[in-house]
Amino acid sequence: MLVSQFIPFVTVLALPYTCLGDLIRVQNPDLQLPGDALVHREAVKEIFLKSYAAYHAAAFGHDDLDPVSNTSSDGRNGWGASIVDAMSTMKIMGLDDLFAEAVDFAGKIDFSRSQTADTVSVFETTIRYLGGLLSAFELGGKNDTLLVQKAAELANKMAFAWRDKTQLIPFGFLDFTANTPTIATSNIAEAGSLVLEWSTMTKYSGNATYTQLTEGALKHIATLPAPLPGLAAQGIDPSSGEFVGSSITWGGGSDSYFEYLIKHARLSNTDDNVFADTWATAVDSTIKILFRTSTVGDHLYTGDTDSSKRVRHVGSHLACFTGGNWMLGGKMLRNDTIVNYGLALNDACWNTYASTATGIGPEAFAYISSDGNFTGGSAPTPAQQAFYSLHGFYITSSVYILRPEVLESNFYAWRVTGDQKYQHRTAH
């Protein structure tokens, strides 16, 4: 079922959003670049050029370069994810020749089917391909209209994740050949993190259904009865539209749902306060119920809850987006308390980087607070306990898969405060 076949069932208003206002300043007006900023900028550019040259030589047209074997792999349906994902970076860096080559490649992608045997993730395809195409169109001066055409082709295929106009929550995966979804439960991050890209698709196509589908999903999650005020359960069933279980986390499976609530309120300028209000309620509940402070170092963390609402003393790299998100939302709501909590959350996450031999933080960690160390899993080993006694957290998964959240939150901290220590953290 193509987007054009849907009957609109959500009214989207394009009125000034009075709660947030248009004159809110997030960035510190006295922001100054540190003296070595240009040196670091050139170093980052060289890193990109070296990495992309290796990809170009051994894997161009495929999704990924496998650097050890110097071969290619296709984990995102074989549509050239590295190229589409990198287009905005190329334009920002002024790499116009590479950008032109990437635009030419993107214009020839066959989105009618997956180039691999894999099903298509609606969430991953939205944030990487749809977002990549549309951001490249905007950063390129809105000249390459073929990028919008390709984005529409892709979104029209992904619209089959909604089987009919009565279904509010999309299924997470699709067979692009048969245009049929995989009937399975999903989570609020996958279902509730589509609207920024899809509403931008509406902006450039004139087709309101893109927004109606994805804003409808986001609003449905926000208005379901939640286990704690504002804090939606992690799991959700697209068939029934109801939550699955009652576990709560700001980490994986939920993270970007909370992120998109406040960003959609700002980007859309909607006068429907449900998005900003739900985000603010989630923050308030987190402060009152989920906050935990480590007994070593006094680091501030957001705990998870299990199905019995017992707080789990766990953290993750994914959940470290909260620092930046709270700074942004706090500024938008003119609430310095939220901003300051965001700064504290960011410092705790940075500590997971500063405490390791590599200077890179772990995928998952745990901690001990005044109410104990319940994680829902195993108790810390003697080695983990010893590490905790020095650093205020212990590592439960030591892998690093190029997650951006900690550096992103430090970027927000620098922009919001003007304190150059945050810029230096990310550069060094």
Side-chain angles (χ1 to χ4, degrees):
M1 183 177 292
L2 298 177
V3 164
S4 58
Q5 295 175 286
F6 276 97
I7 300 172
F9 56 90
V10 178
T11 301
V12 180
L13 300 176
L15 301 175
Y17 191 59
T18 56
C19 175
L20 298 181
D22 289 331
L23 300 178
I24 294 168
R25 182 184 292 275
V26 173
Q27 179 168 291
N28 187 299
D30 299 319
L31 193 72
Q32 297 289 328
L33 281 170
D36 57 359
L38 296 182
V39 174
H40 293 308
R41 185 183 71 178
E42 290 307 307
V44 169
K45 186 175 180 179
E46 284 303 311
I47 291 170
F48 175 85
L49 285 169
K50 182 178 181 179
S51 300
Y52 194 75
Y55 163 79
H56 200 287
F60 188 82
H62 293 277
D63 291 338
D64 298 297
L65 168 68
D66 296 337
V68 175
S69 62
N70 202 35
T71 57
S72 64
S73 59
D74 290 303
R76 295 289 170 217
N77 304 102
W79 292 319
S82 287
I83 299 171
V84 178
D85 227 4
M87 285 196 293
S88 57
T89 300
M90 295 169 183
K91 195 62 182 178
I92 291 169
M93 288 184 171
L95 304 173
D96 291 338
D97 289 345
L98 288 180
F99 180 78
E101 179 188 53
V103 169
D104 179 69
F105 174 87
K108 299 173 182 176
I109 298 174
D110 179 10
F111 286 124
S112 67
R113 62 184 181 88
S114 173
Q115 304 304 309
T116 69
D118 302 315
T119 55
V120 175
S121 166
V122 176
F123 167 71
E124 295 287 353
T125 304
T126 291
I127 65 172
R128 301 180 191 282
Y129 288 107
L130 195 63
L133 292 166
L134 294 173
S135 61
F137 172 69
E138 292 186 328
L139 289 167
K142 303 178 183 178
N143 296 316
D144 300 301
T145 56
L146 181 59
L147 296 175
V148 176
Q149 178 184 324
K150 300 306 292 186
E153 291 175 12
L154 183 57
N156 289 349
K157 292 285 285 188
M158 288 193 288
F160 285 99
W162 290 264
R163 289 183 295 181
D164 57 56
K165 68 178 184 292
T166 66
Q167 182 184 330
L168 294 176
I169 300 298
F171 289 101
F173 293 85
L174 286 166
D175 179 334
F176 255 36
T177 301
N179 292 328
T180 56
T182 301
I183 308 303
T185 57
S186 186
N187 60 62
I188 60 173
E190 290 184 351
S193 305
L194 309 172
V195 70
L196 299 185
E197 294 84 358
W198 287 58
S199 63
T200 303
M201 192 68 246
T202 289
K203 178 179 179 180
Y204 295 120
S205 70
N207 189 336
T209 305
Y210 298 119
T211 298
Q212 292 164 359
L213 289 172
T214 55
E215 186 181 67
L218 183 66
K219 186 169 184 176
H220 179 76
I221 296 169
T223 54
L224 279 178
L228 293 172
L231 290 168
Q234 183 183 49
I236 195 164
D237 184 352
S239 295
S240 66
E242 299 296 328
F243 289 134
V244 177
S246 56
S247 299
I248 294 170
T249 181
W250 282 81
S254 298
D255 47 357
S256 50
Y257 159 73
F258 294 113
E259 176 190 1
Y260 275 42
L261 281 173
I262 194 68
K263 289 183 176 179
H264 176 58
R266 176 65 279 172
L267 185 64
S268 68
N269 282 334
T270 176
D271 69 343
D272 188 342
N273 288 0
V274 67
F275 307 107
D277 286 352
T278 301
W279 182 86
T281 302
V283 167
D284 184 64
S285 292
T286 300
I287 293 169
K288 292 176 178 176
I289 302 169
L290 300 185
F291 266 180
R292 292 295 184 274
T293 302
S294 62
T295 57
V296 173
D298 292 327
H299 301 296
L300 182 66
Y301 302 112
T302 59
D304 294 357
T305 69
D306 62 14
S307 58
S308 65
K309 298 185 181 179
R310 186 176 180 183
V311 173
R312 301 174 61 228
H313 299 66
V314 295
S316 67
H317 202 297
L318 284 169
C320 284
F321 90 96
T322 53
N325 185 246
W326 284 37
M327 291 176 229
L328 175 64
K331 280 292 185 180
M332 289 164 61
L333 298 178
R334 299 185 176 93
N335 188 315
D336 287 339
T337 298
I338 298 175
V339 173
N340 290 332
Y341 277 132
L343 289 167
L345 291 167
N346 177 57
D347 283 344
C349 284
W350 180 253
N351 178 59
T352 69
Y353 271 55
S355 299
T356 66
T358 61
I360 297 174
E363 176 73 0
F365 56 91
Y367 50 88
I368 301 168
S369 67
S370 60
D371 64 337
N373 65 346
F374 174 74
T375 64
S378 303
T381 65
Q384 288 173 322
Q385 185 71 51
F387 188 92
Y388 174 81
S389 68
L390 295 174
H391 303 293
F393 75 99
Y394 59 92
I395 296 170
T396 55
S397 175
S398 60
V399 301
Y400 175 70
I401 52 174
L402 302 182
R403 300 269 192 215
E405 291 82 10
V406 174
L407 300 187
E408 178 185 9
S409 286
N410 277 276
F411 169 81
Y412 274 105
W414 175 59
R415 291 280 181 158
V416 165
T417 68
D419 190 333
Q420 293 184 2
K421 74 177 182 183
Y422 301 111
Q423 217 268 1
H424 284 299
R425 283 177 177 178
T426 58
H428 293 89

